[in-house]
Amino acid sequence: MNEQLKDLEKKAKEKQAENKKFFAKLKKKPPKNLDYVMQDLHEAEFEKTDCLDCANCCKTTGPLFTNADIERIAKYLRLKPQRFIATYLRVDEENDYVLQGVPCTFLDHQNYCSIYDVRPKACREFPHTDRKKFQQISSLTMKNVAICPAAFNIVEAMKKAIKN
């Protein structure tokens, strides 16, 4: 997996112009079955991809924490929400709650998440490749292909499956 991660950023950069053009066309005229195609591609990729082998998302980026996330995680950790915020989070330039730093505080040395059952919504949904109206999150997807090998593979498979 480490070899794959080393090449990922480079490969994502090489594909950036191609992906940008593809997503621009996709946004203008998404196929009627896009949600179903993406669901199938997502499921096929994650049948062969084990996130525990990588966890690059947890090591290099931090999720946004919604108020619901904060309440749920604080309760799980037996902290008051304000204490959870003070201990683990900061407010970013867009006024969102994010982790104070990366790698994620809750990631252990074996790539397990200590709050997995109550993890933030952004973590549960990452890399967002099975989201409805997928064409609306192209800029997020462009970032994720440089972070997540599965997202990269899904986008490459998508370009073959959808001729636009």
Side-chain angles (χ1 to χ4, degrees), residues 1-12 54 56 146-147 149:
M1 182 55 71
N2 284 341
E3 284 302 310
Q4 192 176 13
L5 285 178
K6 281 182 196 171
D7 294 340
L8 183 63
E9 198 172 339
K10 181 179 170 227
K11 285 172 26 181
C54 177
N56 197 43
I147 297 166

Side-chain angles (χ1 to χ4, degrees), residues 1 4 16-17 40 45 47 53 56-58 61 64 67 70 81 92-93 95 114-117 120 133 157 159:
M1 182 55 71
Q4 192 176 13
Q16 191 170 17
D40 290 345
E45 180 62 31
E47 281 177 16
D53 290 339
N56 197 43
C57 53
C58 305
T61 60
L64 300 180
N67 288 334
I70 292 167
D92 71 3
E93 51 283 340
N95 250 2
S114 64
I115 60 166
Y116 187 82
D117 292 338
K133 298 187 180 175
K159 291 187 294 189

Side-chain angles (χ1 to χ4, degrees), residues 25-26 29-35 37 135 162-164:
K25 284 183 182 178
L26 191 67
K29 193 170 187 252
K32 286 185 179 18
N33 67 341
L34 179 62
D35 289 346
V37 170
Q135 72 278 8
I162 300 170
K163 301 292 182 203
N164 65 3

